[in-house]
Amino acid sequence: MGATLDAVGDLRQTVPQAAALVGLIALVMYSVQFGVSTVPFVGSIAAGVVIAFGTGAMYAVANEAAERRAASITPVRQLLSTRWLSLLGVFVVLVAAGVVTAIVGVLAAVAVVAVTAALDIGPVGAVLAVGGLFVAYLVFAMVAQFLYPAVAIDGVGAFDAVTTAGRLVVDRPVSVLGFTLLRVAVEYVPFLLGLVGALAVVSDALTAAVTTFEEALPDPEAPGEAPAPTEVPDLGALFFAEASTGSLAAAVVVVGVGLLVGEIIRIALTTAYYRRVTSAPS
């Protein structure tokens, strides 16, 4: 866990330098991704390209901030001009590996449930299946999180990035596991806080919509004949009718800020840890 704690300590010098530029790249990346993803078929491909280039760019900026105590767009230009194909390769590898992991995990879970059900220990099978799926996802995440850093920081190709990431996990399983759990926590805590803040912003509209929805439902305990069937109102439509444009915009901003903060911390923390465990020059 020493490398993980050291990486956390490195955040004090990396985040202040890289936060603004990494946050800007993340904002542009997700905005463009959302825009192009609405285009059928071609949009999905374009969104993948945006994610690959944007993620690599963020790691390049964070690495420069950790190495030179300054952040600029220069390493981004260098990375995209020399390793653009490697970044696309990493994206393809991640998609393919994710699909294979999901299929194998589900098939294994189904087999475990079927066998334990035949042995009349169904609940045990369900626990084993869920646990197995979690372990499969965790192993995938432990390796996947280092692919883009390997390309952006070490300048290796896509397949060499897989080798580098796999070797890190094999050589330091406990350290990487601890880092992965910490990274997930610090990445999603800002988002959850932003979600809570957004719910607080629109709480009045949400309460009013739920009240209107409940009042529109027929009372099953009312005496007399059964009530005539009525159309159940759309709770979502009621909410948007009650919420003001300003409150909706504020809620989106609060959630967006939480996502950006989590993304900045994830990039900076992963960069710091990767540099520590690969003995990258400081």
Side-chain angles (χ1 to χ4, degrees):
M1 293 297 291
T4 300
L5 297 178
D6 290 339
V8 172
D10 292 343
L11 293 181
R12 293 176 295 179
Q13 58 193 24
T14 304
V15 171
Q17 300 291 341
L21 191 50
V22 170
L24 178 60
I25 294 173
L27 180 61
V28 173
M29 179 182 72
Y30 289 122
S31 299
V32 174
Q33 176 198 357
F34 176 77
V36 300
S37 62
T38 58
V39 181
F41 183 68
V42 178
S44 299
I45 298 177
V49 174
V50 170
I51 292 173
F53 289 172
T55 304
M58 288 188 290
Y59 279 115
V61 170
N63 181 56
E64 185 187 46
E67 188 174 83
R68 301 182 181 179
R69 309 297 185 262
S72 70
I73 205 69
T74 300
V76 176
R77 291 198 300 264
Q78 294 173 344
L79 176 68
L80 296 183
S81 64
T82 60
R83 286 298 178 184
W84 63 272
L85 189 58
S86 297
L87 294 173
L88 293 178
V90 165
F91 178 79
V92 173
V93 167
L94 286 174
V95 172
V99 171
V100 171
T101 300
I103 292 175
V104 172
V106 170
L107 291 178
V110 171
V112 169
V113 170
V115 171
T116 52
L119 297 175
D120 198 23
I121 51 174
V124 174
V127 172
L128 292 176
V130 172
L133 288 174
F134 175 76
V135 170
Y137 169 76
L138 186 59
V139 172
F140 170 75
M142 289 169 65
V143 175
Q145 64 190 337
F146 298 125
L147 298 189
Y148 282 115
V151 175
I153 297 174
D154 288 339
V156 301
F159 291 107
D160 287 337
V162 175
T163 302
T164 299
R167 187 168 58 248
L168 284 178
V169 175
V170 171
D171 292 345
R172 297 170 171 265
V174 176
S175 176
V176 173
L177 175 60
F179 167 76
T180 304
L181 297 176
L182 175 64
R183 177 190 61 78
V184 170
V186 299
E187 178 182 357
Y188 287 103
V189 164
F191 167 70
L192 294 176
L193 293 176
L195 190 60
V196 171
L199 290 175
V201 170
V202 298
S203 59
D204 291 341
L206 186 59
T207 300
V210 171
T211 301
T212 303
F213 178 82
E214 291 176 344
E215 291 176 348
L217 296 177
D219 185 2
E221 297 182 358
E225 298 181 359
T230 58
E231 183 178 352
V232 177
D234 187 336
L235 183 58
L238 292 174
F239 168 72
F240 284 109
E242 294 286 350
S244 66
T245 303
S247 64
L248 290 175
V252 170
V253 169
V254 171
V255 173
V257 169
L259 284 171
L260 286 180
V261 170
E263 186 77 344
I264 292 169
I265 295 175
R266 176 179 75 88
I267 296 294
L269 185 61
T270 304
T271 299
Y273 181 82
Y274 182 86
R275 286 171 57 85
R276 288 281 181 178
V277 296
T278 57
S279 301
S282 24

